[in-house]
Amino acid sequence: MGVSGSGKTTIGKLLAELLNWEFRDADDFHKLENIKKMQMGISLNDGDRISWLEDLQAAIKNWLQDNKNVVLACSALKTSYRQMLIIDSRIQLVYLQGSFDVIENRLKARTNHFMTEKLLKSQFHDLEEPDNCICVDVSQAPEVIVEKIKKALG
């Protein structure tokens, strides 16, 4: 979890590959109208996100029921969102933590994504940093971050 540009997809894919797990991106669960809002620089509110969170929760329940090991890249910025998603003790939260400046520079360099640096301030505003998680500094190289996560997961 983390704000847009923190490396969720990059780190998630590397971690899933290293662990031989499936990778899923929560962005793929967004409704088209929400993607359009974000493309226009309009922040999503809790009402916009509820069906997205419900869809994610249903997917997580299915993965758990099927005993699938999945790395899910998801912003999960608020405690209430995480409460909807962390529905089982088998779920481990990883927080990709970074400064506004580091992440803003990443977003400015990124292309072909609906989330732009215009919405970064709102993401940091909404961010409620989690307790009881694996927390890694995103200013490190992706391979270093993935190794730290793997070690923390045991």
Side-chain angles (χ1 to χ4, degrees), residues 9 22-35 38 44 48-63 68 70-75 85 113-114:
T9 300
E22 184 177 333
F23 173 79
R24 295 298 305 266
D25 196 319
D27 287 347
D28 296 336
F29 289 77
H30 275 298
K31 305 279 190 258
L32 185 57
E33 56 267 24
N34 285 352
I35 292 172
M38 290 184 281
L44 299 181
D48 295 325
R49 288 188 179 102
I50 192 67
S51 66
W52 173 68
L53 290 165
E54 289 170 343
D55 290 347
L56 288 169
Q57 185 184 67
I60 292 167
K61 285 179 181 177
N62 286 334
W63 298 329
K68 280 189 177 178
V70 178
V71 174
L72 173 66
C74 180
S75 54
L85 302 177
H113 195 280
F114 60 82

Side-chain angles (χ1 to χ4, degrees), residues 81-137:
Y81 303 166
R82 293 188 296 271
Q83 288 172 339
M84 287 186 69
L85 302 177
I86 302 173
I87 57 173
D88 189 284
S89 61
R90 294 174 283 177
I91 297 171
Q92 178 63 58
L93 183 68
V94 176
Y95 173 35
L96 300 178
Q97 183 181 43
S99 71
F100 183 89
D101 292 336
V102 166
I103 294 174
E104 182 181 40
N105 288 332
R106 287 182 178 183
L107 287 177
K108 286 179 179 176
R110 185 161 77 176
T111 58
N112 299 324
H113 195 280
F114 60 82
M115 188 71 171
T116 68
E117 76 273 3
K118 295 175 188 173
L119 295 174
L120 187 59
K121 285 183 183 176
S122 70
Q123 291 238 312
F124 269 91
H125 179 265
D126 287 349
L127 177 63
E128 297 170 1
E129 292 192 322
D131 298 326
N132 301 324
C133 66
I134 298 168
C135 182
V136 291
D137 177 3

